[in-house]
Amino acid sequence: MYFEKYQQAGQWRWRLKAANHEIIASGESYWNETDCDNAINLVKGTTSATPVRKL
């Protein structure tokens, strides 16, 4: 898996892609690249102990 970070309409976005290059997750848009990096790091920090909440 790998993250892609890119600009769209002047804002920063990210997406997580599987080894086969399919998008498996994406985030909202951010005005600052640093905010986008922080969001990526939050996703990187999840573990198997991160709860899943069914709505």
Side-chain angles (χ1 to χ4, degrees), residues 6-51:
Y6 60 97
Q7 281 190 294
Q8 183 179 48
Q11 293 186 321
W12 289 95
R13 299 185 67 88
W14 66 268
R15 57 188 166 217
L16 179 62
K17 288 193 165 185
N20 66 358
H21 311 290
E22 294 290 326
I23 298 169
I24 58 173
S26 62
E28 59 185 286
S29 59
Y30 301 90
W31 286 108
N32 300 309
E33 185 177 7
T34 303
D35 293 335
C36 186
D37 291 336
N38 290 337
I40 291 169
N41 286 329
L42 284 172
V43 174
K44 284 182 177 181
T46 61
T47 67
S48 60
T50 304

